[in-house]
Amino acid sequence: MQSELKNYISGKWTASSNGKTLVHRNPANLEEITGIWPASTREDASKAIEAAQKAFPMWSGLTVYKRAEYIKKAISAIVREREKIAGVITLENGKTYPESLAEVDSAIREMDYQVNEGLRMFGQIAPSATEGVFAYSKRFPLGVVSIISPWNFPFNVPGRKVTPALIAGNTCVLKPSSLTPQTGLKFVEAFIEAGLPEGVLNFVTGAGSTVGEELITNPAIKAISFTGSTGVGRGIHEKAAKILAKTQLEMGGKNPAVVLADADLVQAAKAVVTATFACAGQWCTSTSRLIVVKEAAEKMKELILAEVQKYVVGNGMNPASTMGTVCGTEQVKNILNYIEIGKREGATLAFGGERLQGSEYENGCFIQPTVFTNVTPDMTIAREEIFGPVLSVIEVENFDEAVKIANDVPFGLASSIFTTNLNKAMTFMEKADVGLAHVNIMTAHKEPQLSFGGVKESGFGLPEAGSTGIEFFTRHKTVYIKY
């Protein structure tokens, strides 16, 4: 059993003010307690906000180059601790160790890019219509910002949010998911090792109804960056409006992969299966719908099922495992419920669909990779986010119908089309109602130099990453000088 862990507020380790705790268990073995964490109160979150407020004048007063020095030292610490951090991610989240390593490496790239984006935090010089006037704009930090991070990418997402916030001169309060608090702690420890001044980055664990509520309603908060479900994101935006805080919401998805008859079907099948079952289908950008024209449908189903059968589900620390657990008992219940709904509504369960049993699995949250065929666009499993290892195969007559069905859901995060027809590829890029569109690449592909975010019920506000990552955490001031 791990010892009881604490919050990090104003450079000090502190327990929750009410003495209550949360127990975290390894999703691969629910008998293993991985940590006991503060079930913090709104008072604890308020103290973290006060600490960030106190630190803001000093931190924002540093040059961006000095702020960059601290963050670069934190990145170096992450590089040194890469394997240990990956082990913690697998312990808490359940994904395979190679997937956890890939997450840490992605965080390093994201953070490095945002540091350099901060060094390019240019204003704008514009000609004035008035003689003898020099006109320009300059960007400034907002103040104290809330970072509410998810359990599916518990290290990469804080890196993508906290780094641009800090390099821009803001101070932060980070609330990790209660399913992955130790991963959030490992992130903060890198900044502690870097010597980050007290109060600049604070860390508070606890429930959304207590800690989260304070982080979205306290008048001192100037911006909230959140990744999670659409329902929670809507609630955050409503409450943030009352304190005039900016919101950046990265929410759900129901991401389609469209496959046309002229595609390289072998390559398409591999990309679809990877994007569906990597991290047990718990990426925001995971493929959940395969929309395939009928003339290619039988071959695609054959290829998909052949790829799925290669998966070895098991403990993420076992090198033989190619798919780990889902992230907890609530996730198991939710995913199995959707599988039952799919069967009731008439979809054909072509593979999987069960919680794995037996000595290796009995204490864990293991679900088989699951494929449904004969899915129609109006079925629940074709419209609602399942957030698990479930693929729905939908057959269509032609390209136009594929585009219509791809867009006909409330979400708009990511999509892919697999084709060798340039006209149809470019048409799909124009018509896909999403924030990320791909041709012959899986739905989950992204790079740090470009923005990441969705439309419709998948995202709101300026997207993360790229140039908009730091833009969200700044305000503009325009200056006119008569000389």
Side-chain angles (χ1 to χ4, degrees):
M1 180 187 292
Q2 294 284 325
S3 59
E4 189 170 321
L5 298 148
K6 296 183 178 181
N7 295 320
Y8 186 73
I9 299 174
S10 195
K12 299 178 180 64
W13 298 104
T14 60
S16 60
S17 56
N18 62 4
K20 294 182 179 180
T21 56
L22 299 168
V23 174
H24 181 272
R25 297 176 184 273
N26 180 355
N29 178 10
L30 295 170
E31 293 183 348
E32 179 185 355
I33 295 175
T34 65
I36 301 172
W37 298 87
S40 304
T41 64
R42 293 190 65 159
E43 179 186 350
D44 299 320
S46 179
K47 288 178 180 177
I49 293 168
E50 290 173 9
Q53 273 187 296
K54 185 177 179 181
F56 176 68
M58 175 277 301
W59 182 248
S60 60
L62 297 178
T63 68
V64 68
Y65 291 94
K66 184 63 178 176
R67 294 196 294 266
E69 286 180 19
Y70 286 107
I71 301 172
K72 287 178 180 179
K73 288 178 182 177
I75 294 171
S76 295
I78 291 168
V79 171
R80 287 195 305 272
E81 295 291 304
R82 172 178 174 267
E83 290 81 7
K84 291 181 181 178
I85 295 168
V88 170
I89 295 172
T90 294
L91 184 72
E92 289 195 313
N93 171 278
K95 63 180 71 174
T96 67
Y97 183 69
E99 289 171 334
S100 296
L101 282 173
E103 177 176 349
V104 179
D105 291 342
S106 178
I108 292 166
R109 290 191 296 271
E110 297 265 12
M111 294 174 72
D112 183 68
Y113 183 85
Q114 288 300 324
V115 168
N116 288 287
E117 193 67 25
L119 298 178
R120 297 188 295 268
M121 194 167 64
F122 306 134
Q124 183 181 22
I125 297 174
S128 172
T130 305
E131 291 185 8
V133 170
F134 178 63
Y136 69 94
S137 68
K138 187 177 178 182
R139 289 157 70 180
F140 291 84
L142 303 172
V144 181
V145 300
S146 298
I147 308 295
I148 303 174
S149 64
W151 51 261
N152 63 330
F153 281 99
F155 199 85
N156 183 39
V157 172
R160 194 160 69 218
K161 295 175 184 289
V162 170
T163 308
L166 292 183
I167 193 69
N170 302 283
T171 52
C172 302
V173 180
L174 169 63
K175 179 201 171 309
S177 166
S178 295
L179 291 174
T180 52
Q182 192 172 165
T183 305
L185 177 63
K186 296 301 288 184
F187 180 79
V188 171
E189 285 177 343
F191 284 88
I192 296 171
E193 183 177 329
L196 194 73
E198 64 182 43
V200 174
L201 176 59
N202 304 276
F203 170 81
V204 186
T205 63
S209 59
T210 52
V211 173
E213 189 72 10
E214 186 68 19
L215 293 182
I216 63 175
T217 59
N218 189 305
I221 296 297
K222 302 305 178 187
I224 302 155
S225 184
F226 163 82
T227 297
S229 72
T230 297
V232 174
R234 283 181 182 277
I236 287 173
H237 186 63
E238 291 172 1
K239 292 175 180 178
K242 295 179 180 179
I243 59 170
L244 297 180
K246 295 174 72 174
T247 56
Q248 180 182 63
L249 310 174
E250 201 277 285
M251 301 180 288
K254 193 66 181 173
N255 310 302
V258 171
V259 178
L260 304 184
D262 59 24
D264 179 336
L265 299 184
V266 172
Q267 183 242 348
K270 290 181 178 178
V272 168
V273 168
T274 297
T276 301
F277 301 113
C279 299
Q282 297 173 127
W283 287 344
C284 299
T285 50
S286 292
T287 298
S288 60
R289 294 179 294 153
L290 168 59
I291 302 171
V292 57
V293 294
K294 286 186 177 178
E295 57 192 296
E298 290 306 314
K299 184 61 176 177
M300 271 302 291
K301 286 188 284 188
E302 176 187 325
L303 291 167
I304 290 286
L305 292 173
E307 287 294 319
V308 171
Q309 290 176 39
K310 297 176 185 177
Y311 273 78
V312 178
V313 181
N315 190 310
M317 293 305 294
N318 184 342
S321 299
T322 55
M323 191 177 97
T325 72
V326 299
C327 195
T329 54
E330 286 301 312
Q331 283 64 40
V332 170
K333 186 187 305 182
N334 186 61
I335 294 163
L336 292 178
N337 180 55
Y338 273 112
I339 290 171
E340 288 304 311
I341 290 172
K343 291 190 288 186
R344 284 202 307 270
E345 292 187 351
T348 300
L349 183 61
F351 189 88
E354 301 288 339
R355 183 173 185 173
L356 289 165
Q357 306 294 326
S359 59
E360 183 183 351
Y361 303 114
E362 64 181 356
N363 292 319
C365 302
F366 298 95
I367 293 180
Q368 290 175 305
T370 300
V371 179
F372 278 104
T373 58
N374 297 318
V375 178
T376 58
D378 59 333
M379 289 182 178
T380 303
I381 60 171
R383 301 193 60 78
E384 296 184 10
E385 184 178 42
I386 300 173
F387 220 64
V390 181
L391 178 67
S392 296
V393 181
I394 303 169
E395 298 181 28
V396 295
E397 294 292 340
N398 51 46
F399 170 73
D400 290 334
E401 186 183 2
V403 174
K404 180 182 177 181
I405 290 172
N407 288 334
D408 189 27
V409 291
F411 303 100
L413 182 53
S415 65
S416 293
I417 187 169
F418 293 85
T419 180
T420 56
N421 186 309
L422 179 61
N423 178 51
K424 289 179 178 177
M426 295 303 293
T427 301
F428 187 77
M429 291 302 96
E430 293 296 323
K431 291 188 175 182
D433 199 6
V434 293
L436 291 87
H438 309 78
V439 176
N440 298 326
I441 304 173
M442 68 176 180
T443 56
H445 182 83
K446 73 166 296 296
E447 298 180 19
Q449 70 273 21
L450 293 168
S451 296
F452 176 81
V455 298
K456 298 192 286 189
E457 292 187 12
S458 290
F460 183 85
L462 285 172
E464 301 173 342
S467 61
T468 54
I470 195 168
E471 174 71 15
F472 173 74
F473 291 106
T474 61
R475 61 180 176 85
H476 291 253
K477 179 186 290 184
T478 299
V479 179
Y480 299 95
I481 301 173
K482 178 73 173 178
Y483 61 89

